[in-house]
Amino acid sequence: MDLYKMSITNTPTSNDACLSIVHSLMCHRQGGESESFAKRAIESLVKKLKEKKDELDSLITAITTNGAHPSKCVTIQRTLDGRLQVAGRKGFPHVVYARLWRWPDLHKNELKHVKYCQYAFDLKCDSVCVNPYHYERVVSPGIDLSTLTLSNSGPLIVKDEFDYENQQSHSSSESHLQTIQHPPSRPVPPDTFSNNPLLPPSEGSTSASSSAFSTISAGPSRPVTNEIAFQPPISNHPAPEYWCSIAYFEMDVQVGETFKVPSTCPIVTVDGYVDPSGGDRFCLGQLSNVHRTENIERARLHIGKGVQLECKGEGDVWVRCLSDHAVFVQSYYLDREAGRAPGDAVHKIYPSAYIKVFDLRQCHRQMQQQAATAQAAAAAQAAAVAGNIPGPGSVGGIAPAISLSAAAGIGVDDLRRLCILRMSFVKGWGPDYPRQSIKETPCWIEIHLHRALQLLDEVLHTMPIADPQPLD
């Protein structure tokens, strides 16, 4: 049982011991932060207010009555950079405590102080008021309302201030990329469907958890029918010995050896710890790089528990973010689910989110279509150049072939990209960040999916796209 969910009928006063006050205030937290972080943040505040009994009483009254009674400013000393450090994390103090006690999914630019607050953060006084009921929440113009969960689906785990640091806004004209956010959903037992490896999650859970444009719910919406559950394998070719291989990069340099995950380990964890890697765990903390910069070192410290990659069925892939920080994913499957062109978006997966990032059948259809298109286009282009396809637009036997040329430009590397996932820890890229490419992020991984590459090999054997011959 959670110690802090116990009875709170005895409201303390400033004369009580710090432990009693902290215990009472912990009972009113909203749950967006971990219990350990919340406890340290509240302990820190109570100790600072112990000599200012009237302000401490104001805080206790405000929090325990949910702002029902008027309360005074509750102040702490403003730091040089305006931010408060708790448990190794920095954040604006009024935001930290507003998240703890009022809005767990609060963005730092969404607070506006009430008129009677004399020490509001924006007033730039030597002291800063951190009374959560001296601030109101306003949604800033830059916030995408479609990503805010309106249903009763449990608290959002909010990204740390570390994610907000040093971000610059880039206009959409500078890049075609868009960041699509995937907050965590309602917790679902991880082994709901694990009894049968051929049983995928229900259609309802797939579409809801992978679309950034709907309220996200990871629970199944209806029973899976036998037709969906027992789809025949795409290929009768035996499964590969390793279901994926993972390469770790710092900026544009691969660090360490590529890590191969055996098919006997359908779930693999990639984390920032220094334990030896092997089997179902790839530890990035023990990898050395003589060219590592301070920025890379700092970002690596925040990888923490990292991510879990799970292979389901014949080759679908799901990601669970275990880190305290978001991860950023390049996924053609999520692009299509969000209605974007492949490669047209970066997907921000929040802490605790569990989301499908790769669909083998969809990938197989895509590679078949692209290979067929490229093969036909290359053959038609060659035939047109040879003068074998006269038409109303042809001049001297050479037909216009601009669209054919683009289609014929599809090569094996383009098809291989369908079988690869890329994921950056802590830092994002694209128009919302100072980094325009994943190769500019401090620590990221590239995941090659072997079953998909095996299927691509089969497709290319039946539809070779190199050296097309002109039509007779």
Side-chain angles (χ1 to χ4, degrees):
M1 179 180 174
D2 188 339
L3 174 68
Y4 300 104
K5 301 293 186 218
M6 294 165 64
S7 171
I8 55 170
T9 51
N10 299 322
T11 303
T13 69
S14 58
N15 293 319
D16 287 303
C18 283
L19 189 63
S20 300
I21 299 170
V22 170
H23 171 81
S24 177
L25 295 178
M26 278 288 284
C27 294
H28 294 271
R29 64 193 173 94
Q30 292 300 304
E33 298 286 3
S34 68
E35 182 180 310
S36 60
F37 176 85
K39 187 168 185 281
R40 288 179 69 171
I42 294 171
E43 280 177 345
S44 170
L45 180 57
V46 170
K47 286 175 183 174
K48 288 173 183 171
L49 297 174
K50 240 342 194 170
E51 302 304 315
K52 298 188 281 187
K53 292 185 180 297
D54 58 333
E55 292 189 22
L56 182 51
D57 280 324
S58 278
L59 176 70
I60 294 168
T61 300
I63 302 306
T64 57
T65 65
N66 295 325
H69 301 295
S71 52
K72 299 177 184 176
C73 284
V74 176
T75 61
I76 60 174
Q77 188 72 26
R78 181 186 288 271
T79 59
L80 286 174
D81 67 354
R83 294 186 299 170
L84 173 74
Q85 180 157 332
V86 178
R89 285 167 45 187
K90 278 191 169 186
F92 295 113
H94 62 312
V95 176
V96 169
Y97 293 107
R99 280 180 183 164
L100 273 181
W101 285 309
R102 294 195 71 183
W103 306 286
D105 58 344
L106 180 72
H107 186 279
K108 67 174 180 178
N109 296 325
E110 292 180 314
L111 286 182
K112 178 183 176 184
H113 64 270
V114 295
K115 290 180 181 177
Y116 52 82
C117 183
Q118 297 176 299
Y119 296 96
F121 181 82
D122 292 338
L123 298 180
K124 309 291 186 192
C125 302
D126 289 340
S127 295
V128 178
C129 178
V130 294
N131 185 337
Y133 292 93
H134 277 205
Y135 295 88
E136 294 171 344
R137 186 176 188 178
V138 291
V139 179
S140 61
I143 299 298
D144 180 3
L145 291 175
S146 67
T147 65
L148 298 180
T149 302
L150 302 179
S151 65
N152 183 23
S153 59
L156 286 177
I157 308 298
V158 189
K159 67 177 181 178
D160 300 335
E161 283 297 328
F162 187 85
D163 271 341
Y164 294 121
E165 283 183 36
N166 304 322
Q167 281 189 21
Q168 301 166 11
S169 179
H170 290 256
S171 68
S172 57
S173 62
E174 294 177 23
S175 172
H176 66 286
L177 287 173
Q178 176 190 352
T179 304
I180 296 174
Q181 303 188 37
H182 301 269
S185 56
R186 181 173 66 251
V188 173
D191 56 22
T192 305
F193 297 108
S194 63
N195 292 336
N196 189 331
L198 288 174
L199 199 64
S202 75
E203 286 183 331
S205 70
T206 302
S207 60
S209 64
S210 58
S211 169
F213 306 113
S214 60
T215 301
I216 297 185
S217 169
S221 61
R222 61 178 181 273
V224 182
T225 64
N226 289 339
E227 182 184 356
I228 297 171
F230 300 106
Q231 288 178 320
I234 299 170
S235 167
N236 293 322
H237 199 285
E241 182 182 357
Y242 301 96
W243 72 264
C244 78
S245 54
I246 306 169
Y248 169 65
F249 292 82
E250 292 176 359
M251 308 295 276
D252 59 352
V253 176
Q254 182 175 347
V255 177
E257 298 293 320
T258 298
F259 183 80
K260 293 183 176 181
V261 184
S263 293
T264 52
C265 299
I267 298 177
V268 61
T269 302
V270 183
D271 60 43
Y273 300 124
V274 295
D275 301 322
S277 297
D280 62 353
R281 190 173 173 205
F282 185 20
C283 297
L284 306 179
Q286 41 92 21
L287 298 176
S288 59
N289 176 10
V290 292
H291 301 296
R292 185 172 291 151
T293 65
E294 187 180 340
N295 282 342
I296 294 173
E297 193 65 72
R298 194 161 55 239
R300 278 168 53 83
L301 293 174
H302 291 268
I303 296 173
K305 294 178 182 177
V307 294
Q308 223 172 45
L309 304 171
E310 182 174 0
C311 181
K312 291 191 175 188
E314 193 178 351
D316 294 351
V317 179
W318 290 62
V319 167
R320 188 187 302 276
C321 180
L322 304 175
S323 174
D324 289 335
H325 296 271
V327 294
F328 299 81
V329 177
Q330 189 178 67
S331 158
Y332 288 176
Y333 168 76
L334 287 180
D335 292 344
R336 282 188 286 269
E337 290 293 299
R340 307 286 299 190
D344 206 21
V346 178
H347 299 269
K348 180 177 182 181
I349 300 181
Y350 280 75
S352 297
Y354 178 58
I355 190 166
K356 185 176 183 178
V357 294
F358 181 80
D359 184 286
L360 187 68
R361 288 183 183 277
Q362 189 184 75
C363 175
H364 186 240
R365 284 194 301 270
Q366 190 78 12
M367 64 176 68
Q368 283 180 316
Q369 289 167 4
Q370 287 195 19
T373 302
Q375 185 186 44
Q381 184 186 29
V385 170
N388 292 343
I389 309 179
S394 63
V395 179
I398 301 179
I402 296 172
S403 58
L404 290 177
S405 177
I410 297 172
V412 175
D413 285 346
D414 297 292
L415 295 174
R416 282 179 61 84
R417 284 192 197 101
L418 299 172
C419 313
I420 294 171
L421 296 168
R422 286 176 160 185
M423 184 183 303
S424 169
F425 295 98
V426 185
K427 295 292 188 179
W429 77 95
D432 301 323
Y433 300 89
R435 298 159 293 278
Q436 293 306 292
S437 158
I438 195 171
K439 292 183 178 180
E440 295 171 34
T441 62
C443 39
W444 58 281
I445 54 176
E446 185 171 87
I447 304 144
H448 289 241
L449 303 171
H450 292 190
R451 184 60 167 176
L453 289 166
Q454 197 178 55
L455 295 179
L456 175 58
D457 200 42
E458 289 184 14
V459 168
L460 292 176
H461 272 93
T462 56
M463 281 186 282
I465 62 174
D467 302 321
Q469 299 299 316
L471 297 171
D472 291 332

